[in-house]
Structures are given as structure tokens and as C-alpha cells.
Amino acid sequence: MTETKIIAEKELQENMPTGWQYDEKSMSIKRDFEFLNFSNAWGFMTQVAMRAEGMNHHPEWSNTYNKVSISLTTHEQKAVTNRDIDLASFINSLVD
């Protein structure tokens, strides 16, 4: 398993995956997604869930019909880490 490294806020701003925003209050990165319908949203969530399970790194998320909101943070570190960036980049590869 890759060592977990906290990402400094300046480095995070310079290397933020496309579409993600840093939320200082929750010390997380967030992104909202919209799909054609519920089935597409659910399929996307399934792909993310499989990768997250393999990483043992799980998102906080919500789904309403065709919309999915995701928040990533490393709770043990109480910060955004390379694990969050890696998962965000994978998520982007599914939609961008």
C-alpha cells in the first residue's frame, strides 16, 4: 500500500483534479456530477465503489436521481492526502 501523504493547501490548489473544489471547513475536496438518468448515476457510483473498496478509502457521497455529490478526505489524517487525489483522479477518468 502506498504511504499516505498529507497534501499542503498550496500544493493542493496547484494540483487539484479538474472540477474538484477544496472545502476548508471540512478539510475535503468535493465535486458534483450530473448524469442522464438514475441508472447512469448508479453505474458510476458502482465503479467508484469498486475502486474505493480496493483502496480501502471510501467517499462520503449522496445520490438523488441523476445527481451524485462526492466529498473526499482522509479521516485518520483529518486532511486531504494523496489517497484522496488518487481517488478523485480515478473518478474524473470515468466522466471527463
Side-chain angles (χ1 to χ4, degrees), residues 33-38 40-42 44 65-68 95:
F33 300 88
E34 187 170 340
F35 298 91
L36 182 64
N37 54 43
F38 178 74
N40 289 358
W42 191 265
F44 164 77
Y65 182 59
N66 67 331
K67 294 179 175 68
V68 177
V95 295

Side-chain angles (χ1 to χ4, degrees), residues 6-24:
I6 294 175
I7 307 296
E9 190 170 345
K10 181 179 179 190
E11 180 184 353
L12 183 60
Q13 294 301 336
E14 293 170 355
N15 299 297
M16 183 78 68
T18 303
W20 293 82
Q21 299 293 320
Y22 178 66
D23 180 57
E24 188 174 347

Side-chain angles (χ1 to χ4, degrees), residues 6-93:
I6 294 175
I7 307 296
E9 190 170 345
K10 181 179 179 190
E11 180 184 353
L12 183 60
Q13 294 301 336
E14 293 170 355
N15 299 297
M16 183 78 68
T18 303
W20 293 82
Q21 299 293 320
Y22 178 66
D23 180 57
E24 188 174 347
K25 182 177 178 183
S26 64
M27 301 194 67
S28 66
I29 57 175
K30 298 180 175 194
R31 184 170 176 189
D32 296 324
F33 300 88
E34 187 170 340
F35 298 91
L36 182 64
N37 54 43
F38 178 74
S39 293
N40 289 358
W42 191 265
F44 164 77
M45 291 176 69
T46 300
Q47 291 178 71
V48 173
M50 298 301 290
R51 175 58 69 100
E53 187 68 15
M55 295 174 68
N56 193 30
H57 189 61
H58 305 94
E60 294 179 20
W61 56 8
S62 66
N63 166 242
T64 304
Y65 182 59
N66 67 331
K67 294 179 175 68
V68 177
S69 296
I70 301 178
S71 175
L72 300 173
T73 190
T74 302
H75 296 286
E76 301 86 16
Q77 302 292 330
K78 297 182 178 150
V80 175
T81 69
N82 57 308
R83 296 175 76 205
D84 302 302
I85 299 301
D86 291 348
L87 186 53
S89 294
F90 170 76
I91 292 168
N92 278 3
S93 76

